[in-house]
C-alpha cells in the first residue's frame, strides 16, 4: 500500500506529546486541555481520601504535612528534604513527624473516652501501644509522652520487647501487656515489673505458661497479674485473617480456659486472673467482624464473671485498620469505618452483653499499633532514570526493507479503530515470526532492532487509539498494553529494606511525587528499586475501585532531582526490612512543629543510615580484616611491579574511605 518512501519516524518526544494529548482529550473532554491545577493532582492521587487531613498540596505543587490536622501549621516535605540535604543526609530519607504521633494517640484515646461517656459505660479505657509495630525508642517514648494523661501503656510480644518496655515505662497506672510465648526468663522479668509496682499482665498463650507463672510468682513472692487469650470462632478478614478462628496459632480453647482457672485456683491465685484477651489479626477492614468478635469474647467474659472470676479488663487486641487506598471499603487495603465508630462499637457491644448478662462492665484495653504509627512517617526516594520500551531516537527507513518491517510499517500507517484488533494480531505475529527467524540465524541484529522498534511504536499507537474508544469497542488485550508500555522509573531505595509488606504481602501504599503537582503528569509508570532482584519493584498502586498497575508520573528533567513520597509507612516497615543486597537502613530525620521557627518546624534529630562497613560487619566482614586483606593484595601488586608504591597506598586509602560511604547510590 505504501510503496512510496515511508514517512520518518516520530521521535519519542512527539509520541509522549501525542499520548498526553490523547489522555487529556479522553479524560477532560470539553475543558481546556492544558489546564491542570493542584486540585487535579489531589484528585488523581486521592490525597484527601487517604491523607485524612494530614496531607495536602500547596499552590506551588508541593505536598505538605499538617501533623495536627487543621489545628497546626503545615510543613512542606520538599523543604524538609532540602534541609536534611544541607545537613548531609540525602535520599532515601525517612521523615518522622513526631507531632503526628501525638495526634494519633489523642485521637484514639479521645474516641474511647467519648464513647464511654455517650454509653454511660462504667469502666475506663486503658489502651496500650504494641511495640512490635515500631520499636524505635524515640517513637515509643513520643507515644508514651502523648498518652500520659490517658495512662496509655505498652504491649510487648517477646523478651527483648519486654526489656525495652520496662525501661521506658514510668506511669504505674498504665498497663504493660505481655503477649506471645513465654519462657521462665520472660516471666521473671515481668515479675521485676510487678515488684516495681507496675501493672504487668502476663497473657498466657498455653496452659504450661500458667503453671510456670504460678511457680515463679511463688518463688519471687509476688502477686502476678494474669490474662488469658481466648481463641474465638470469629475470623478476621483480609491478609491477616488466620490470626483468629479455631485454627489460630494463639489462644486457649474454652476447655483450656477452664483448666487454666483450675491451675490458678490450685495455686491459690484465682484473684490473679485479671484480663481476658483476643486478637483477630491486623488490618481488619470490616467493622462487622470487629463487632462479632467483641460480642463473642464478651460472652466468655460474662460467663467467667458469673463463675466468680473477678476479671477487670477486656482486651480487644489490635486490628484497627488504616485506609491505605482511601476507598473506605472492605478491600484489604482499606476499612469501612472510622476510629470513632470503632471505639463506639466496642464500648456499646461490651456494655450490651454485660447488661444482658448482668455482670459489671470491665475496663477496656485495645492494642492498636498500625492505627497509631502508620501516618507518621514518609519515605522519600529519588527517581533518577527510566527504562523505556519505545526508542528514544528515530531510525531511518531504508528503501529495501525486510518483509517483516514492511508489514509493520503498513500496519502502522493504516491503523483505524475498525481494524484495531486485527492490526494488533498482525504485529503479534510479526514479533513471533521475527523471534523464530532470529533463533534460526536468519535475522541480523539491525533488522531485529528495527522490528522491535516498530513493534513498540505500533503498540503505543494502538494503546492510544484503544484509550480513546469506549469500553465496549476497545479490545481488552490492547487496553492492557498500556501497562506493558509503562516506563519503569528507577528509584534509589530497596523494597526489601523499606517496603517489605509490598513485596511479601502485596500491601498497597500511596506513592505520590512530593513536588511538581502543579504540572500534569506525562506518562504511566511503574517503579523499580536498585537491588538486583527482579522482585524489587512497585507495580501495584492504590485505586478507588481496584488496584492500578501503573502510576502517572512527570517526565525527568535532566539533572533536576525528582522525588517520590511513599506514604503511610510508619507501621511495621521500619523493623521488618532486611539488608538484601546489603542495602542498609536509610537516613532518617525527626521533625517537630515549633511556632518560634520561621519555617514552623525544626529537625530535632538526624540519624545517618548504615555505612558500607556497618552492613559488612553484620555479615562477618570486620573493617580491619577487610583493609588488611586488600592491603596484602596491594603489597603483592607492588612487589610484582603492577603498581607503584604511592599509587598503591592511594588506592588503599580510597578503599578505606569508600567503606564509610552510604550503601545507597549518591548523586
Ligand atoms: C500485632 C499485634 C497487635 C497490633 O495489631 P495492629 O493491627 O497493628 O493494631 C496487637 N495485639 C497483638 C496480640 C498483636 O500480635
Amino acid at each position: 500500500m505504501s510503496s512510496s518512501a515511508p514517512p520518518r519516524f516520530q521521535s519519542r518526544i512527539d509520541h509522549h506529546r501525542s499520548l498526553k494529548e490523547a489522555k487529556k482529550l479522553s479524560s477532560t473532554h470539553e475543558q481546556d486541555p492544558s489546564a491542570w491545577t493542584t486540585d487535579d493532582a489531589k484528585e488523581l492521587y486521592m490525597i484527601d481520601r487517604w491523607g485524612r487531613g494530614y496531607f495536602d498540596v500547596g499552590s506551588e505543587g508541593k505536598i505538605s504535612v499538617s501533623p495536627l490536622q487543621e489545628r497546626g501549621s503545615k510543613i512542606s516535605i520538599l523543604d524538609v528534604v532540602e534541609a536534611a540535604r544541607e545537613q548531609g543526609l540525602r535520599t532515601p530519607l525517612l521523615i518522622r513527624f513526631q507531632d503526628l504521633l501525638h495526634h494519633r494517640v489523642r485521637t484514639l484515646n479521645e474516641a474511647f473516652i467519648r464513647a464511654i461517656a455517650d454509653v454511660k459505660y462504667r469502666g475506663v479505657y486503658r489502651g496500650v501501644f504494641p511495640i512490635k509495630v515500631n520499636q524505635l525508642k524515640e517513637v515509643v517514648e513520643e507515644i508514651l509522652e502523648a498518652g500520659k494523661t490517658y495512662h496509655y501503656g505498652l504491649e510487648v510480644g517477646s523478651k527483648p520487647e519486654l526489656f525495652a518496655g520496662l525501661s521506658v515505662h514510668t506511669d504505674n497506672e498504665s498497663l504493660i501487656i505481655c503477649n506471645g510465648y513465654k519462657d521462665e526468663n520472660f516471666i521473671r522479668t515481668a515479675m521485676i515489673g510487678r515488684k516495681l509496682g507496675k501493672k504487668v499482665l502476663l497473657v498466657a498463650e498455653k496452659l504450661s505458661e500458667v503453671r510456670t507463672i504460678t511457680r515463679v510468682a511463688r518463688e519471687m513472692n509476688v502477686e502476678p497479674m494474669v490474662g488469658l487469650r481466648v481463641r474465638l470462632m470469629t475470623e478476621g478478614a483480609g491478609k491477616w485473617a488466620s490470626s483468629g478462628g479455631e485454627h489460630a496459632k494463639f489462644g486457649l480453647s474454652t476447655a483450656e480456659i477452664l483448666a487454666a482457672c483450675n491451675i490458678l485456683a490450685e495455686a491459690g491465685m484465682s484473684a490473679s486472673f485479671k484480663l481476658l484477651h483476643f486478637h483477630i489479626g491486623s488490618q481488619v477492614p470490616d467493622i462487622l467482624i470487629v463487632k462479632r468478635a467483641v460480642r463473642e469474647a464478651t460472652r466468655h467474659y460474662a460467663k467467667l464473671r458469673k463463675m466468680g472470676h473477678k476479671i477487670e479488663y477486656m482486651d480487644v487486641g489490635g486490628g484497627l485498620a488504616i485506609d491505605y487506598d482511601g476507598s473506605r471499603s472492605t478491600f484489604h487495603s482499606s476499612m469501612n469505618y472510622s476510629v470513632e465508630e470503632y471505639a463506639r462499637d466496642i464500648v456499646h457491644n461490651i456494655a450490651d452483653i454485660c447488661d444482658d448478662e448482668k455482670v459489671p462492665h470491665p475496663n477496656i484495653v485495645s492494642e492498636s499499633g498500625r492505627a497509631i504509627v502508620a501516618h507518621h512517617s514518609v519515605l522519600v526516594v529519588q527517581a533518577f532514570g527510566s527504562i523505556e520500551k519505545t526508542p528514544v531516537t528515530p531510525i531511518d527507513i531504508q528503501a529495501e526493507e525486510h518483509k517483516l518491517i514492511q508489514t509493520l510499517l503498513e500496519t502502522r500507517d493504516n491503523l483505524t479503530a475498525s481494524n484495531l484488533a486485527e492490526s494488533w494480531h498482525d504485529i503479534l505475529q510479526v514479533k513471533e515470526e521475527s523471534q523464530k527467524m532470529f533463533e534460526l540465524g536468519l535475522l541480523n541484529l539491525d533488522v531485529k532492532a528495527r522490528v522491535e522498534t516498530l513493534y513498540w511504536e505500533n503498540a503505543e499507537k494502538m494503546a492510544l487509539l484503544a484509550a480513546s474508544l469506549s469500553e465496549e469497542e476497545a479490545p481488552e488485550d490492547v487496553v492492557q498494553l498500556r501497562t506493558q508500555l509503562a516506563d519503569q522509573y528507577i528509584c534509589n531505595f530497596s523494597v526489601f529494606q523499606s517496603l517489605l509488606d509490598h513485596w511479601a504481602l502485596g500491601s498497597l501504599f500511596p506513592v505520590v511525587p512530593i513536588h511538581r503537582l502543579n504540572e500534569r503528569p506525562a506518562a504511566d509508570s511503574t517503579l523499580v528499586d536498585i537491588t538486583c532482584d527482579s522482585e524489587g519493584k512497585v507495580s501495584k498502586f492504590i485505586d478507588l475501585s481496584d488496584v492500578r498497575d501503573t502510576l502517572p508520573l512527570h517526565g525527568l528533567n535532566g539533572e533536576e532531582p525528582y522525588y517520590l513520597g511513599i506514604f503511610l509507612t510508619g507501621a511495621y516497615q521500619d523493623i521488618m526490612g532486611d539488608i538484601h543486597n546489603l542495602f542498609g537502613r536509610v537516613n532518617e530525620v525527626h521533625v517537630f512543629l515549633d511556632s518560634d521557627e520561621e519555617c514552623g518546624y525544626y529537625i530535632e534529630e538526624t540519624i545517618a543510615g548504615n555505612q558500607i562497613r556497618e552492613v559488612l560487619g553484620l555479615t562477618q566482614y570486620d573493617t580491619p580484616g577487610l583493609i588488611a586483606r586488600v592491603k596484602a593484595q596491594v603489597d603483592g601488586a607492588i612487589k610484582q611491579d603492577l603498581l607503584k608504591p604511592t599509587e598503591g597506598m592511594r588506592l588503599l586509602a580510597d578503599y578505606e574511605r569508600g567503606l564509610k560511604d552510604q550503601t545507597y547510590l549518591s548523586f
Side-chain angles (χ1 to χ4, degrees), residues 154-220:
L154 294 174
E155 186 264 0
V156 298
S158 68
K159 279 189 283 188
E161 288 185 355
L162 175 59
F163 278 83
L166 277 179
S167 80
V168 292
H169 177 268
T170 51
D171 169 16
N172 284 357
E173 265 307 298
S174 73
L175 310 180
I176 298 181
I177 307 266
C178 306
N179 288 315
Y181 292 117
K182 297 164 198 70
D183 63 6
E184 189 162 327
N185 188 18
F186 194 144
I187 292 165
R188 280 186 183 277
T189 311
M191 297 303 179
I192 295 175
R194 290 290 298 136
K195 289 242 183 199
L196 293 173
K198 296 179 191 291
K199 292 187 169 130
V200 185
L201 283 130
L202 284 161
V203 179
E205 309 277 3
K206 287 166 68 205
L207 282 183
S208 59
E209 285 176 11
V210 184
R211 287 190 203 98
T212 315
I213 291 168
T214 56
R215 176 169 56 76
V216 173
R218 208 176 304 116
E219 281 166 20
M220 292 179 72

Side-chain angles (χ1 to χ4, degrees), residues 130 132-133 155 179 229 277 279 281-283 317-320 367-370 572:
K132 77 154 189 269
V133 188
E155 186 264 0
N179 288 315
R229 177 160 175 172
H277 175 261
H279 173 68
S282 200
Q283 184 67 19
L320 175 52
E367 305 173 344
S368 292
R370 187 184 295 277
Y572 298 102

Side-chain angles (χ1 to χ4, degrees), residues 333-389:
S333 53
S334 188
M335 62 199 284
N336 67 352
Y337 57 96
S338 64
V339 173
E340 287 72 25
E341 184 179 351
Y342 176 79
R344 260 198 318 274
D345 279 346
I346 287 172
V347 174
H348 168 79
N349 282 291
I350 294 178
D352 193 45
I353 302 256
C354 290
D355 294 347
D356 182 49
E357 298 265 7
K358 301 195 173 55
V359 293
H361 293 173
N363 296 324
I364 298 173
V365 180
S366 81
E367 305 173 344
S368 292
R370 187 184 295 277
I372 296 289
V373 292
H375 294 87
H376 93 284
S377 70
V378 179
L379 177 73
V380 179
V381 303
Q382 183 181 349
F384 65 96
S386 64
I387 307 166
E388 293 161 3
K389 295 252 170 47

Side-chain angles (χ1 to χ4, degrees), residues 591-610:
V591 173
F592 276 91
L593 287 175
D594 188 342
S595 51
D596 288 344
E597 299 284 339
E598 204 180 314
C599 55
Y601 69 90
Y602 69 103
I603 293 178
E604 186 257 356
E605 174 147 54
T606 60
I607 305 171
N610 285 144

Side-chain angles (χ1 to χ4, degrees), residues 471-482:
E471 232 171 86
E472 301 85 61
E473 285 174 304
E476 183 58 27
D477 35 5
V478 184
V479 171
Q480 294 194 345
L481 251 182
R482 210 167 137 169

